[in-house]
């Protein structure tokens, strides 16, 4: 691996090739290469979008974010994380990548990629966990919000401390086959 580093791979390229190994060994911190790595993936254009989206999702999870917001502007796609209820900037991507990034999020969550004039919602499950994706049309393109479900945060109905009457009604409604 050290030979690849000396063969001219940038720090970001090296990270995206061997990121898992680097994390396990503690050779580097993600924060120190985050902007450089996202910039490298953005330069790859549409070909780098799947890896870029995976990196955004992974980075969101490692930071403990509950949401990842991808907001288009006139010139860019702004990625923000909600950590402990506060939105903080993650990175700013070139605006020309926005349709591809949105399409990738839609594909991951089983949404219709050709529908960009109506809000859509879907879900996904991958190695990192489970999430919900919402898209919403805006003036500058589609906004995407990914909500992450953290393992162990799902409560049973009994843990919600509902009254017995409400709990019985809700249980009955949830058991119906024809929907609520």
């Amino acid at each position: 691996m050290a030979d690849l580093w000396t063969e001219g791979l940038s720090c970001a390229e090296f990270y995206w090739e061997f990121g898992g190994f680097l994390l396990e060994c503690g050779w580097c911190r993600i924060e120190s290469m985050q902007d450089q790595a996202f910039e490298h993936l953005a330069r790859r254009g549409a070909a780098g979008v799947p890896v870029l989206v995976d990196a955004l999702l992974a980075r969101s999870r490692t930071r403990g974010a509950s949401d990842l917001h991808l907001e288009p502007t006139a010139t860019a796609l702004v990625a923000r994380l909600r950590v402990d209820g506060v939105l903080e900037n993650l990175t700013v991507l070139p605006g020309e990548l926005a349709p591809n990034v949105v399409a990738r999020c839609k594909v991951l969550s089983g949404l219709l990629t050709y529908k960009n004039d109506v809000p859509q919602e879907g879900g996904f499950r991958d190695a990192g966990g489970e999430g919900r994706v919402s898209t919403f049309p805006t003036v500058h393109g589609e906004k995407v919000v990914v909500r992450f479900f953290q393992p162990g945060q799902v409560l049973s109905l009994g843990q919600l401390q509902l009254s017995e009457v409400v709990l019985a009604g809700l249980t009955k409604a949830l058991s119906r086959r024809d929907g609520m």
Side-chain angles (χ1 to χ4, degrees):
M1 213 170 10
D3 294 336
L4 292 172
W5 184 265
T6 58
E7 287 178 12
L9 284 178
S10 71
C11 188
E13 291 168 325
F14 188 79
Y15 169 75
W16 291 113
E17 291 293 326
F18 302 102
F21 178 75
L22 293 174
L23 288 175
E24 290 171 18
C25 294
W27 283 4
C28 64
R29 296 175 352 134
I30 292 177
E31 293 86 0
S32 66
M33 290 191 283
Q34 172 182 321
D35 291 334
Q36 190 181 15
F38 286 136
E39 184 180 310
H40 166 70
L41 288 172
R43 278 197 310 265
R44 291 170 124 184
V49 166
V51 177
L52 176 61
V53 170
D54 290 345
L56 289 169
L57 295 174
R59 182 67 183 131
S60 301
R61 287 180 172 136
T62 59
R63 292 282 310 273
S66 61
D67 302 343
L68 168 64
H69 293 249
L70 301 170
E71 303 168 2
T73 66
T75 59
L77 181 66
V78 179
R80 295 186 174 125
L81 301 176
R82 184 176 307 280
V83 179
D84 295 329
V86 178
L87 265 179
E88 49 188 66
N89 290 335
L90 175 62
T91 190
V92 177
L93 302 169
E96 56 269 8
L97 287 181
N100 299 69
V101 170
V102 170
R104 177 65 180 162
C105 291
K106 286 181 169 185
V107 167
L108 286 174
S109 57
L111 300 177
L112 302 173
T113 57
Y114 61 87
K115 287 247 185 196
N116 55 10
D117 57 345
V118 295
Q120 296 186 66
E121 289 198 17
F124 69 93
R125 183 173 287 153
D126 62 8
E130 192 174 343
R132 296 286 301 163
V133 175
S134 299
T135 65
F136 190 83
T138 69
V139 173
H140 299 294
E142 286 183 278
K143 177 180 177 172
V144 175
V145 177
V146 180
R147 288 175 197 85
F148 300 104
F149 298 119
Q150 306 296 334
Q153 286 187 338
V154 178
L155 302 175
S156 69
L157 288 178
Q159 294 172 312
L160 295 178
Q161 299 180 354
L162 301 172
S163 70
E164 289 183 29
V165 174
V166 172
L167 183 60
L170 185 57
T171 304
K172 182 179 177 183
L174 289 172
S175 66
R176 292 178 59 182
R177 289 183 173 214
D178 56 347
M180 297 176 77

